[in-house]
Amino acid sequence: MLKSKPFLYVSVSLIVIAMIMSVPFRLHSPYGPERTTVLSIPITTVEGPVYVGMITVSILLLGLVFLVLALKKYKVRAVTLAVLLFAFGPLKFAEAYQSTFATGLDAISFDKENSTCIYEAKDERTMTARCELYLKNHSKEDVSFKLTFYEEEWFEGPQYMNNAGPFKLTVPANNENPIIVKRELKLKKEQTFSGSNSHFNVILETKGKQRIL
């Protein structure tokens, strides 16, 4: 089954290194919202190339090459197993860490699929905004932070909300209910609109630490 033990050792080492490097990407988006990903590792974001992500994927691919060279047979099965381990192992580890040992900002997760902001125009220069933010606190202590919305060119709402921010929020311990943010937005010119946004990203900050979710 084995053709080369040294190649197998190199392969395992490289795959483990790639898995460790991928852990920070599993719980948040440190380089901004992703545009291109490989096995959930960002290669490019709205801010540009992510070189750490590229290096991580390159190390993984090199590890898979050494794995193929190390084996006489069962190569496809071994590569498939290694890819699945890379895809789900760090994610499960990160989720377990967040739900047990994480504190402060690290204990906060954001469900952007269910989070929404609804905007209603009152007049030509005023509109109301109501956001339901599904921020879950996995720790046993309340977590306070400042929240801003990540601005993207195809989302108008976050720009308006940030004009009224940052928003000081506290998420109670073990909270699973949405955090409601309401604001009446005064605009400098006639640019109101009615509608809603979802699948947006938020930025959490406290004591010099920042997370993009």
Side-chain angles (χ1 to χ4, degrees):
M1 181 177 175
L2 275 180
K3 185 188 298 184
S4 171
K5 281 188 177 181
F7 279 7
L8 180 63
Y9 296 149
V10 172
S11 170
V12 171
S13 298
L14 290 173
I15 293 172
V16 169
I17 290 171
M19 291 174 66
I20 293 172
M21 292 179 65
S22 74
V23 171
F25 298 115
R26 304 301 181 174
L27 294 181
H28 69 138
S29 305
Y31 301 97
E34 297 90 354
R35 280 188 173 172
T36 306
T37 62
V38 176
L39 295 173
S40 300
I41 303 301
I43 302 302
T44 61
T45 69
V46 295
E47 303 293 339
V50 180
Y51 297 108
V52 175
M54 294 179 182
I55 293 171
T56 301
V57 173
S58 298
I59 292 174
L60 172 66
L61 293 176
L62 190 59
L64 295 177
V65 169
F66 273 99
L67 181 60
V68 170
L69 294 175
L71 300 176
K72 291 182 179 179
K73 55 183 179 179
Y74 304 123
K75 297 180 180 181
V76 174
R77 295 180 186 179
V79 169
T80 302
L81 181 61
V83 170
L84 290 175
L85 187 63
F86 175 83
F88 297 105
L91 175 61
K92 295 302 180 182
F93 171 81
E95 289 178 344
Y97 164 75
Q98 187 175 61
S99 62
T100 53
F101 301 110
T103 59
L105 282 189
D106 290 335
I108 301 295
S109 62
F110 177 57
D111 183 356
K112 66 180 181 180
E113 292 186 2
N114 289 317
S115 297
T116 58
C117 285
I118 299 174
Y119 306 92
E120 293 184 5
K122 294 184 66 176
D123 54 48
E124 293 179 345
R125 293 197 176 185
T126 307
M127 65 181 179
T128 59
R130 184 181 188 278
C131 297
E132 288 191 0
L133 306 176
Y134 282 83
L135 294 158
K136 183 176 180 179
N137 179 3
H138 297 267
S139 72
K140 297 179 181 179
E141 297 181 356
D142 296 353
V143 178
S144 299
F145 50 82
K146 293 181 180 179
L147 179 145
T148 55
F149 292 81
Y150 196 97
E151 297 185 14
E152 300 180 56
E153 57 185 3
W154 52 85
F155 278 166
E156 293 182 283
Q159 300 174 18
Y160 297 141
M161 292 299 292
N162 283 343
N163 290 336
F167 304 94
K168 295 181 180 180
L169 303 178
T170 296
V171 182
N174 298 310
N175 175 73
E176 296 187 8
N177 298 318
I179 303 297
I180 307 299
V181 176
K182 295 181 180 179
R183 287 293 187 277
E184 184 175 280
L185 307 178
K186 300 291 185 180
L187 308 177
K188 295 180 180 179
K189 58 182 180 179
E190 297 179 8
Q191 53 182 359
T192 58
F193 75 100
S194 295
S196 63
N197 283 147
S198 61
H199 290 81
F200 47 79
N201 293 77
V202 294
I203 304 172
L204 312 185
E205 294 182 89
T206 183
K207 299 178 181 179
K209 185 172 184 176
Q210 181 188 89
R211 292 185 68 210
I212 302 175
L213 303 177

